[in-house]
Amino acid sequence: MGSTTGPRRQFPSGADYAEALQHTQLCFRHPELQGARPELTKLGLPRAISGAFASVFSLTSASSGQRYAVKCFTRHVPDQERRYEAISSRLAQLDPAELSQPWNLGFEYLADAISVGRDRYPVLKMEWVEAVTLSSWLDDNHTHRFAVDRLVDRFEALTRDLATHEIAHGDLQHGNLLVASDDTLRLVDYDGMYVPALAGMGGTERGHRNYQSPMRGNDDFGAALDRFSAWVIFLSLKAIASDPTLWNRLHEPSGEFLLLTEDDFKNSGGSTRLQTLLAHPDRTVSGLADQVRSLAFQPLDVLPPLAAAVPRQRAAATTTSAVSGGGTAAAPGTGGLPGWMAGHVSPQATPTPTVPSVTAPDGFHTRTLLDVATAVLWPLMLVATVLMFVAGFSAPPIGPGVPVLVAIALTAFARGRRAERAQARAALAELTNELAQLDDPVKAAEKLRKDRAKFDGAEAKRAADYPRAQGKLTARYHAELKEVEKRKIRKQRDIDKKIDGLSEELRRALAKALTDKQAAYVRDQLSRRLIAQSPPHGIGPKLAARLAAKGIRTAADFTGYRPVQNTQYNSTGAVLVLSSGRVVDVHGIGEAKAIALDVWRRDLVAAAEARQPKALDASERQSIEQAVASRRVQLTAQRKAVESETDASRAKARKQMEDDQKRLTRENTVAGDQARQQQQEFSRRAVALQQNSALHGTLSASVEAAKLRQRGLSFACYLRFLYIDR
């Protein structure tokens, strides 16, 4: 299965597949596809519907007349065959009678099915369905409120089917949801589908950006993949069913979305589209919009499935919302959380906010003896003051004002002894202390926003760095393979050159052996001719003895002579050249006798050369040929060793890449787990912030109320309490 094993390879482009599909009788092996007729463009080329990972062609079988959608892959998908086998097996187990509608399309994964150039690649053969995309259907039917509302129910039923069987499509969007002629839905493009058999594996795609949660990461791959997308589509369909004008107001012609885009989820405060839905007079529409806004910043695994939450949403639509502005009502006992979050956020993450633990007294209650005495004293002191004024006691130290001052002092003392005053001070102090211990909601919200923005930036960088790092590993691997191949070619070229030169080497070896044999024969013949026995002309026994004394006994002992100029006698002499190259001067051998010796030797050489062997014998030739053959075997073994060495280098490079990829994946998985934990922490902080804000407001109001009640315990209020008991 070449497409799913071994190093990642380059897949053809859509144009390459289109060119190959002009000759289906040659490019296909499958009997249903061989010779099939592709749907053509106006230019007569096979029509392609291109996506991020593949191009889809419509082919009609020449044998059965059945029409198929054939998906040709343009990018590498990890574990492609294993994934399709698991998906196919799971979908085949579904009982059509248990499904809400026939949304499940049959397909067959064909490995090495299509030939493009010299290589073969896999394809996916799928049933062809006569249907239109969801957005195209809405273009034609958005004004038919009943039809749209019926489609809402069918979409909700489809998501219920998926959730019931623990299946997630992975890329729910308008292009993958087709509406058939009977207004039932068909689900296409199963590339990123999750089934239980794929648990533990990573996802192959992130889905259409206008339908995915900003919280979805590369490592999110499980049964919860579709939850945010389902809510987005459900909101859009429900809004259009309620108000068909929203389609033309919020949708753009040929836009890659229904009513909301990725930017609307990420920047809900600045989103005109989302604000339009939030402010819609229909409580169902505004409530759903508020839910989607809240869902956008929750981890996927805590989001409620649409199938489980829709019944509550429908029931809530029949009652008055408990949240101003059309928001979703809070569930009882959830501390102000929206109802849809009940049961989806852990108790530790959503502590119930406390109410103020103390209450200031709202006035004075129950007179004491001291209060009665103070009340009696005031009339007496006033009478005393009047009498003293009448009697003329106006000078210090006793004056008419002294009794009043005494009454005031006693009243202040009695008021200060009242328990209500101490309780009011204690209540205000405790409430003020509780308020001081709470974080400022505005500052906390700003800190959460900054922390989340910093985290989002780091996550975006990590998400971009991971495939870039994978690409670097792959590029390094291919560079190493290229270098290994270059070394192999270079070494094999050198060895091949040596092997090709063995014939010339054999020829030279044979020629040299013959030359050496002939030279040895001539040398042997010359060594047999003694100068003393057959002297040249003019060489007597005495000169022969002098020559022998100098080492020249045979014709083989010298190679010639050199003339030497004798300046003393103005004559020319000669020296003889020995076989070793050394020259000797022999007394009595002048130039004439040297010439005679040389002519004698040359005649002997010519006679010997005439009789020398003209070829090597069989044993001599065989010995040389065996040596060359042994050299050939040695070079051939070296060439094979280069292949083995290259294979080992390739295997080493592959293992290094796989080890690095595992390490990179492991690090990314750990980072992804940490990111999910951080996202959950942000969610907990957001919930806690909401509760803290409510508690902060409650405590602030309690502090103001305590201050107001403390003012109700003033001196004047105490005097009023003394005489009228309130």
Side-chain angles (χ1 to χ4, degrees), residues 175-356:
N176 290 333
L177 283 165
L178 306 184
V179 185
S181 57
D182 60 354
D183 287 350
T184 57
L185 292 168
R186 303 291 185 274
L187 198 55
V188 299
D189 191 358
Y190 301 158
D191 291 353
M193 180 172 280
Y194 169 83
V195 295
L198 298 180
M201 297 182 66
T204 59
E205 58 181 65
R206 293 283 294 273
H208 198 298
R209 62 186 183 89
N210 289 331
Y211 293 84
Q212 298 304 318
S213 166
M215 304 289 284
R216 179 171 176 177
N218 291 328
D219 298 327
D220 284 316
F221 189 62
L225 272 183
D226 295 336
R227 292 182 179 178
F228 185 78
S229 307
W231 277 101
V232 170
I233 296 170
F234 184 77
L235 163 63
S236 301
L237 294 176
K238 202 69 178 173
I240 295 167
S242 173
D243 183 358
T245 64
L246 289 172
W247 179 250
N248 291 327
R249 288 168 58 193
L250 304 184
H251 180 75
E252 297 175 2
S254 303
E256 289 295 308
F257 63 97
L258 295 179
L259 299 184
L260 297 175
T261 69
E262 178 186 30
D263 293 336
D264 300 319
F265 310 141
K266 289 185 174 180
N267 183 25
S268 59
S271 165
T272 303
R273 292 187 180 90
L274 187 56
Q275 293 303 319
T276 299
L277 297 177
L278 287 169
H280 199 277
D282 188 314
R283 291 294 181 88
T284 299
V285 174
S286 60
L288 282 170
D290 187 53
Q291 285 191 11
V292 169
R293 177 176 61 177
S294 301
L295 291 169
F297 293 100
Q298 301 294 329
L300 293 184
D301 54 1
V302 305
L303 302 187
L306 179 65
V310 163
R312 291 201 299 272
Q313 185 271 332
R314 287 175 176 166
T318 63
T319 61
T320 304
S321 173
V323 180
S324 62
T328 305
T334 59
L337 292 178
W340 60 267
M341 287 189 70
H344 295 282
V345 180
S346 63
Q348 293 81 358
T350 57
T352 303
T354 59
V355 295

Side-chain angles (χ1 to χ4, degrees), residues 244-532:
T245 64
L246 289 172
W247 179 250
N248 291 327
R249 288 168 58 193
L250 304 184
H251 180 75
E252 297 175 2
S254 303
E256 289 295 308
F257 63 97
L258 295 179
L259 299 184
L260 297 175
T261 69
E262 178 186 30
D263 293 336
D264 300 319
F265 310 141
K266 289 185 174 180
N267 183 25
S268 59
S271 165
T272 303
R273 292 187 180 90
L274 187 56
Q275 293 303 319
T276 299
L277 297 177
L278 287 169
H280 199 277
D282 188 314
R283 291 294 181 88
T284 299
V285 174
S286 60
L288 282 170
D290 187 53
Q291 285 191 11
V292 169
R293 177 176 61 177
S294 301
L295 291 169
F297 293 100
Q298 301 294 329
L300 293 184
D301 54 1
V302 305
L303 302 187
L306 179 65
V310 163
R312 291 201 299 272
Q313 185 271 332
R314 287 175 176 166
T318 63
T319 61
T320 304
S321 173
V323 180
S324 62
T328 305
T334 59
L337 292 178
W340 60 267
M341 287 189 70
H344 295 282
V345 180
S346 63
Q348 293 81 358
T350 57
T352 303
T354 59
V355 295
S357 57
V358 296
T359 304
D362 57 356
F364 296 105
H365 304 281
T366 311
R367 294 190 187 92
T368 65
L369 289 177
L370 184 59
D371 297 328
V372 174
T374 303
V376 172
L377 181 65
W378 265 101
L380 294 176
M381 291 299 101
L382 289 176
V383 170
T385 299
V386 171
L387 290 176
M388 292 177 70
F389 183 76
V390 171
F393 292 103
S394 58
I398 300 175
V402 171
V404 174
L405 292 176
V406 171
I408 291 173
L410 182 60
T411 303
F413 174 75
R415 173 174 169 265
R417 296 293 300 272
R418 292 292 302 189
E420 290 88 348
R421 288 260 300 168
Q423 291 173 1
R425 285 194 298 270
L428 181 59
E430 185 169 347
L431 290 172
T432 303
N433 183 55
E434 290 182 11
L435 184 62
Q437 290 177 0
L438 289 179
D439 293 334
D440 186 328
V442 175
K443 292 181 179 179
E446 178 62 17
K447 186 176 187 309
L448 177 60
R449 186 193 65 78
K450 290 182 177 179
D451 289 348
R452 178 168 272 163
K454 181 179 179 181
F455 171 79
D456 289 342
E459 273 300 281
K461 183 177 182 300
R462 182 178 73 86
D465 287 346
Y466 180 58
R468 190 180 301 122
Q470 286 183 317
K472 286 182 179 179
L473 289 180
T474 304
R476 188 181 70 185
Y477 170 66
H478 287 299
E480 289 180 5
L481 289 185
K482 188 176 180 180
E483 185 59 32
V484 167
E485 193 65 23
K486 282 183 179 178
R487 287 199 301 268
K488 183 194 81 169
I489 292 173
R490 186 169 57 249
K491 289 181 178 179
Q492 287 186 339
R493 186 185 296 121
D494 292 342
I495 294 173
D496 289 342
K497 190 180 295 183
K498 292 177 181 178
I499 291 175
D500 293 340
L502 287 178
S503 298
E504 177 61 22
E505 184 178 331
L506 175 61
R507 187 194 64 77
R508 289 198 302 270
L510 291 173
K512 183 177 182 301
L514 179 59
T515 300
D516 291 345
K517 183 177 182 179
Q518 291 173 338
Y521 175 82
V522 171
R523 196 163 47 251
D524 178 68
Q525 292 298 311
L526 293 179
S527 67
R528 295 174 184 272
R529 300 302 298 268
L530 297 174
I531 296 175

